[in-house]
């Protein structure tokens, strides 16, 4: 192996665990007989406390009843210092014994701040596994991944999207040039693939949010209001649908641009999130989801957004 590529092909340990349910087989599938309150199919003996806290604080949660047959994907870094984990949750819909919908999660995690791309690469190369109670795992035996992580590609689309965001977020007299991704950022950004024209959720602009947050009046754009706007996530239109590496790269750049106290965090193909304000990038699953998420974020913006990292579960 070429020494220069060692870092791209180092071996990573990827753990997993799933929502705990009692279940039974029905035909080729399964039905839930109720939640157990514990996790199942886990490869890790002790789930990191920072991961448990993030889950308890509903940072991977969809609004009840909003899960889809097509999986929603949520990725975020949790923790700080030497205790940082990258976590991806694959959220799908199942049914209970009487046919009611249940939302279940399958979590994949890797220690380290910039490992979301590693998890994505492993996940895609293993047929994108979703929740499956019959996919039994061996406790203490994580998945080992030494495959190739997609390298940085053409970052033009990311820069274009972030430039548009910067235009919305900054007053005319305070606009700054969007700098290219730093070398460190480029290492952890993903492959873009095709280049659709970037679009933001229609009507989700600065003045609308600021007017909502001040009781309906259209305010002057001052530093505090711009700061508040930059606290909010970028909500993309449902189409074109970006690949997960692009979403992750956007979240990295947004995190470094906004400095809003939130980690790299993104949600893909979601109908409704319990805590949408705790994300950097959101790509909703539908036009209705755009409106639903916009309303939830606007409602949150009525409160001074300096509490996005409160550990409510504690």
């Amino acid at each position: 192996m070429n020494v220069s590529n060692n870092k791209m092909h180092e071996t990573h340990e990827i753990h997993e665990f799933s929502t705990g349910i009692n279940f039974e087989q029905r035909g080729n599938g399964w039905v839930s007989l109720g939640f157990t309150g514990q996790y199942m199919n886990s490869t890790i003996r002790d789930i990191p406390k920072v991961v448990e806290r993030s889950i308890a604080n509903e940072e991977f949660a969809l609004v009840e009843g909003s899960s889809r047959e097509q999986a929603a994907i949520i990725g975020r870094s949790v923790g700080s210092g030497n205790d940082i984990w990258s976590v991806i949750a694959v959220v799908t819909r199942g049914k209970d014994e009487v046919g009611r919908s249940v939302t279940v999660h399958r979590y994949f995690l890797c220690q380290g701040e910039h490992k979301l791309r590693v998890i994505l690469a492993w996940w895609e190369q293993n047929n994108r596994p979703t929740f499956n109670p019959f996919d039994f795992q061996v406790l203490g035996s994580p998945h080992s991944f030494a495959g190739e992580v997609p390298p940085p590609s053409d970052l033009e689309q990311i820069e274009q999207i972030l430039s548009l965001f910067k235009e919305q977020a900054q007053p005319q007299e305070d606009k700054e040039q969007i700098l290219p991704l730093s070398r460190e950022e480029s290492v952890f950004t993903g492959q873009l693939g095709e280049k659709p024209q970037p679009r933001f959720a229609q009507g989700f602009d600065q003045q609308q949010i600021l007017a909502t947050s001040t009781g309906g009046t259209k305010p002057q754009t001052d530093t505090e209001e711009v700061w508040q706007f930059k606290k909010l996530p970028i909500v993309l239109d449902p189409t074109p649908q970006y690949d997960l590496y692009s979403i992750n790269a956007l979240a990295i750049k947004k995190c470094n641009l906004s400095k809003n106290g939130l980690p790299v965090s993104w949600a893909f193909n979601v109908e409704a999130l319990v805590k949408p304000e705790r994300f950097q990038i959101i790509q909703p699953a539908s036009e209705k989801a755009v409106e639903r998420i916009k309303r939830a974020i606007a409602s949150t913006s009525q409160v001074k957004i300096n509490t996005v990292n409160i550990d409510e579960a504690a």
Side-chain angles (χ1 to χ4, degrees):
M1 181 184 295
N2 190 307
V3 174
S4 64
N5 289 330
N6 278 345
K7 197 163 187 177
M8 296 298 290
H9 294 277
E10 63 181 309
T11 301
H12 302 275
E13 286 190 351
I14 298 174
H15 283 280
E16 70 163 279
F17 59 92
S18 294
T19 304
I21 61 170
N22 295 308
F23 62 94
E24 68 176 29
Q25 187 167 357
R26 293 277 180 91
N28 294 325
W30 55 271
V31 295
S32 171
L33 303 179
F35 295 101
T36 65
Q38 298 179 331
Y39 296 115
M40 65 186 298
N41 294 339
S42 179
T43 64
I44 190 167
R45 295 187 183 279
D46 296 308
I47 296 170
K49 295 296 184 185
V50 291
V51 177
E52 287 188 323
R53 281 297 181 198
S54 183
I55 294 171
N57 283 317
E58 302 180 299
E59 292 179 331
F60 294 92
L62 305 184
V63 172
E64 190 64 34
S66 68
S67 57
R68 299 161 52 89
E69 291 186 13
Q70 185 180 4
I73 316 294
I74 296 173
R76 68 189 313 123
S77 294
V78 300
S80 60
N82 295 323
D83 189 23
I84 297 180
W85 290 78
S86 298
V87 186
I88 285 179
V90 181
V91 192
T92 50
R93 183 172 64 193
K95 290 184 178 180
D96 67 11
E97 70 275 20
V98 295
R100 292 172 299 194
S101 176
V102 295
T103 299
V104 285
H105 292 61
R106 187 167 179 173
Y107 298 93
F108 301 97
L109 59 158
C110 184
Q111 191 162 23
E113 182 176 9
H114 291 294
K115 299 299 176 63
L116 291 172
R117 285 178 57 249
V118 172
I119 300 172
L120 286 175
W122 174 88
W123 185 69
E124 291 191 340
Q125 291 178 31
N126 286 273
N127 299 315
R128 301 187 173 193
T130 59
F131 182 90
N132 180 0
F134 295 105
D135 193 357
F136 302 112
Q137 302 298 318
V138 178
L139 192 64
S141 298
H143 307 290
S144 181
F145 178 67
E148 182 176 354
V149 177
S153 185
D154 185 355
L155 302 175
E156 177 184 346
Q157 197 67 23
I158 289 176
E159 300 300 342
Q160 186 178 7
I161 293 172
L162 267 297
S163 294
L164 290 175
F165 167 71
K166 189 79 169 184
E167 289 290 317
Q168 290 181 338
Q170 291 283 10
Q172 188 66 37
E173 64 274 14
D174 191 35
K175 286 179 181 171
E176 302 169 1
Q177 181 182 4
I178 290 291
L179 299 176
L181 289 173
S182 67
R183 181 177 179 182
E184 180 182 6
E185 290 171 326
S186 295
V187 170
F188 300 113
T189 52
Q191 198 168 5
L192 285 180
E194 52 184 54
K195 300 180 183 177
Q197 291 299 311
R199 296 173 60 202
F200 295 99
Q202 294 298 317
F204 194 70
D205 57 36
Q206 178 186 14
Q207 293 300 325
Q208 179 184 15
I209 294 172
L210 296 181
T212 302
S213 66
T214 55
T217 59
K218 189 173 182 179
Q220 295 297 316
T221 307
D222 61 28
T223 303
E224 182 177 353
E225 288 162 344
V226 170
W227 172 84
Q228 184 178 17
F229 179 77
K230 289 174 69 175
K231 283 287 202 180
L232 304 175
I234 293 177
V235 180
L236 301 168
D237 265 1
T239 54
Q241 194 174 70
Y242 293 91
D243 65 86
L244 293 172
Y245 294 105
S246 299
I247 298 291
N248 185 60
L250 272 171
I252 292 172
K253 187 65 175 176
K254 167 68 161 56
C255 180
N256 292 333
L257 171 67
S258 295
K259 301 187 184 302
N260 58 8
L262 290 172
V264 174
S265 46
W266 46 263
F268 174 82
N269 198 43
V270 292
E271 286 288 349
L273 293 158
V274 174
K275 298 288 176 64
E277 72 278 6
R278 297 195 180 190
F279 290 86
Q280 302 285 8
I281 304 293
I282 300 172
Q283 179 145 49
S286 64
E287 293 293 344
K288 286 185 177 180
V290 169
E291 296 303 317
R292 192 179 299 118
I293 291 169
K294 285 194 315 185
R295 287 195 300 270
I297 293 173
S299 175
T300 302
S301 72
Q302 294 178 24
V303 182
K304 184 103 172 164
I305 307 178
N306 57 5
T307 58
V308 289
N309 277 326
I310 282 182
D311 187 355
E312 296 157 340

